[in-house]
Amino acid sequence: MTTSPRQRLSPDTRREQLLDLGVRLFATRTLDEINIDLLAEEAGISRGLLYHYFGNKQDFHEAVVRRAIQDLIEVTGPVDEDDLMTRMMISLRNYVDYVTANHTAYVSIVRAASSGNETMHAIYHDALTALIDRIWESSTPEELAAAGIPDTPAIRLLARGWAALTEYVVLAWIEDDRGMSQDELIGNLALALAGIASAVRGGTSD
Amino acid sequence: MTTSPRQRLSPDTRREQLLDLGVRLFATRTLDEINIDLLAEEAGISRGLLYHYFGNKQDFHEAVVRRAIQDLIEVTGPVDEDDLMTRMMISLRNYVDYVTANHTAYVSIVRAASSGNETMHAIYHDALTALIDRIWESSTPEELAAAGIPDTPAIRLLARGWAALTEYVVLAWIEDDRGMSQDELIGNLALALAGIASAVRGGTSD
């Protein structure tokens, strides 16, 4: 171990700062529109140094998408509320706010995940799974039973399908709100999940 | 008007036949894997003639996808059954059968629609809209009221979201059926739509 004569940011911290900037640039741009050159210009440092931190363009894009998804998972994280439905409504509101504020980037991630790039698909799919499986992981069995969302393979699969529904509906609502307020949108999405769980629970024997 | 000395297929009929062959080749291949060369080989005719019928590669891909989607809309079309829920279950079964039989092609269409190709996106989006809006168009207001699916902008939007849910769930089920039979899958999907409609209907004032 050596001690540096003056305080310097560790390479990891510096990389994190640059990644933060990359994610901020990404919010209003597509993946194709952000690259090492743009980041170098905005950060005022050399392209060479950025390639040192991020490798090639593909690695840089993956790092930015991982960070953006990590932000999404954090802002929609479980809050300290007793009621499962209240927690879900707050998470949904934070999701809608995030997708609205980062619309271009979000659409770009969805496209990258669907385009046949296996790494992007895996990052996106893991995030979707994590976001939804959190419903069961952050709740007690009693709460889940009371909310009518027991843990069965069928309901877990349908809940992931509900995440696809939610993504579709929120993106369509941002384009044309059809006279629905954000409160109505969020209420409808939460009710849809409850309706799905209730219908499936009543309709199968497992 | 001249009369041909022997029966010849009209150019339109010939093009349709070639397109049928293109769609059959597509069922087990991705869009990237089918092209004029493959079609020429399978049909036993010259590449030049095929370019005459289909223009460039992009036009050929669009023609094949349009035809595949048209087939999907036809096989899932409304059947002659009095009960709306029965009609929906039959459509769903035909949808699951179609996606199972044409899995590679279907995934490839979804990818092309999501990848930023505007024409493919429009073809896919129009098909999704047509498939879902058919619920209202093929039913009487009395039937819709009895089934709990009134015609409101919110329910139409959520129903399109349910189509996204259905696509996600069916593709995931084909990869891993999680112990669910096809009957259970179809029952769960139909119940999910009823549950969504019921929840949204009860939760909003429109």
Side-chain angles (χ1 to χ4, degrees):
Chain A
M1 292 277 287
T2 60
T3 307
S4 174
R6 60 189 178 92
Q7 287 293 329
R8 276 177 176 276
L9 294 174
S10 74
D12 280 358
T13 307
R14 187 72 179 123
R15 185 178 186 279
E16 289 301 298
Q17 282 188 341
L18 290 166
L19 207 44
D20 282 341
L21 177 59
V23 171
R24 283 204 299 280
L25 295 174
F26 184 37
T28 54
R29 291 175 175 85
T30 67
L31 267 182
D32 286 342
E33 289 165 358
I34 60 163
N35 51 48
I36 295 280
D37 286 350
L38 175 68
L39 186 61
E41 193 181 311
E42 293 287 330
I45 61 176
S46 75
R47 296 170 66 245
L49 189 55
L50 286 176
Y51 278 108
H52 167 72
Y53 283 118
F54 295 111
N56 60 29
K57 178 181 171 180
Q58 177 66 23
D59 290 345
F60 172 62
H61 280 175
E62 284 174 18
V64 169
V65 168
R66 276 185 210 282
R67 168 60 73 88
I69 293 264
Q70 184 185 323
D71 289 349
L72 172 63
I73 289 177
E74 274 171 26
V75 300
T76 58
V79 286
D80 190 20
E81 288 281 346
D82 283 341
D83 180 55
L84 171 60
M85 208 63 179
T86 306
R87 292 201 299 273
M88 190 171 297
M89 301 276 273
I90 294 171
S91 281
L92 267 173
R93 183 177 308 281
N94 290 334
Y95 172 79
V96 174
D97 285 343
Y98 182 91
V99 177
T100 304
N102 300 276
H103 184 237
T104 308
Y106 191 90
V107 170
S108 188
I109 291 175
V110 173
R111 284 183 173 184
S114 306
S115 69
N117 178 319
E118 294 303 330
T119 305
M120 291 294 186
H121 181 76
I123 295 172
Y124 175 82
H125 183 265
D126 289 351
L128 181 85
T129 306
L131 282 168
I132 290 302
D133 286 355
R134 209 161 54 181
I135 294 172
W136 288 276
E137 283 152 17
S138 66
S139 309
T140 64
E142 293 73 26
E143 277 181 315
L144 292 166
I149 312 176
D151 192 359
T152 70
I155 289 187
R156 285 227 181 194
L157 178 60
L158 270 287
R160 287 187 200 159
W162 171 80
L165 173 154
T166 294
E167 182 176 275
Y168 177 89
V169 168
V170 170
L171 289 175
W173 177 83
I174 289 171
E175 279 180 28
D176 172 1
D177 69 13
R178 293 160 173 83
M180 242 188 290
S181 69
Q182 201 200 51
D183 281 348
E184 285 169 338
L185 172 73
I186 290 164
N188 282 337
L189 291 170
L191 288 167
L193 179 60
I196 291 166
S198 162
V200 172
R201 196 178 59 247
T204 62
S205 55
D206 64 0
Chain B
M1 292 281 286
T2 59
T3 307
S4 174
R6 59 188 180 91
Q7 287 292 329
R8 276 178 177 275
L9 295 173
S10 73
D12 280 359
T13 306
R14 186 71 178 126
R15 185 178 185 278
E16 289 300 298
Q17 281 188 343
L18 290 166
L19 207 43
D20 281 341
L21 177 58
V23 171
R24 282 204 300 280
L25 295 175
F26 184 37
T28 54
R29 291 176 174 86
T30 67
L31 267 182
D32 286 342
E33 289 165 357
I34 60 163
N35 52 46
I36 296 281
D37 286 351
L38 176 68
L39 186 60
E41 192 181 310
E42 293 288 329
I45 61 177
S46 76
R47 295 171 67 246
L49 188 56
L50 286 176
Y51 278 107
H52 167 73
Y53 282 117
F54 295 111
N56 60 30
K57 179 181 170 180
Q58 177 65 23
D59 290 345
F60 172 62
H61 280 175
E62 285 174 18
V64 169
V65 169
R66 277 187 209 280
R67 168 60 73 88
I69 293 266
Q70 185 186 324
D71 289 349
L72 171 64
I73 290 178
E74 274 171 28
V75 299
T76 59
V79 286
D80 190 20
E81 286 282 345
D82 283 340
D83 179 54
L84 172 59
M85 208 64 181
T86 306
R87 292 202 298 274
M88 189 171 299
M89 301 276 274
I90 293 171
S91 282
L92 267 172
R93 182 176 309 281
N94 290 334
Y95 172 80
V96 174
D97 285 342
Y98 183 90
V99 177
T100 304
N102 298 276
H103 185 237
T104 308
Y106 192 91
V107 170
S108 186
I109 291 176
V110 173
R111 286 185 171 184
S114 306
S115 68
N117 177 319
E118 293 303 329
T119 306
M120 290 294 186
H121 182 76
I123 295 171
Y124 175 81
H125 183 264
D126 290 351
L128 181 85
T129 305
L131 284 168
I132 290 302
D133 286 356
R134 209 160 54 181
I135 295 173
W136 288 277
E137 284 153 17
S138 66
S139 308
T140 64
E142 293 73 26
E143 277 181 316
L144 291 166
I149 313 175
D151 191 358
T152 71
I155 289 187
R156 284 224 182 197
L157 178 59
L158 270 288
R160 286 186 201 161
W162 171 79
L165 173 155
T166 294
E167 182 176 276
Y168 177 90
V169 169
V170 170
L171 289 174
W173 177 83
I174 289 171
E175 278 179 28
D176 173 1
D177 69 13
R178 293 158 174 83
M180 242 187 291
S181 69
Q182 198 199 52
D183 281 347
E184 285 168 339
L185 172 74
I186 290 164
N188 282 337
L189 291 170
L191 288 168
L193 179 60
I196 291 167
S198 162
V200 172
R201 196 176 61 246
T204 62
S205 55
D206 64 2

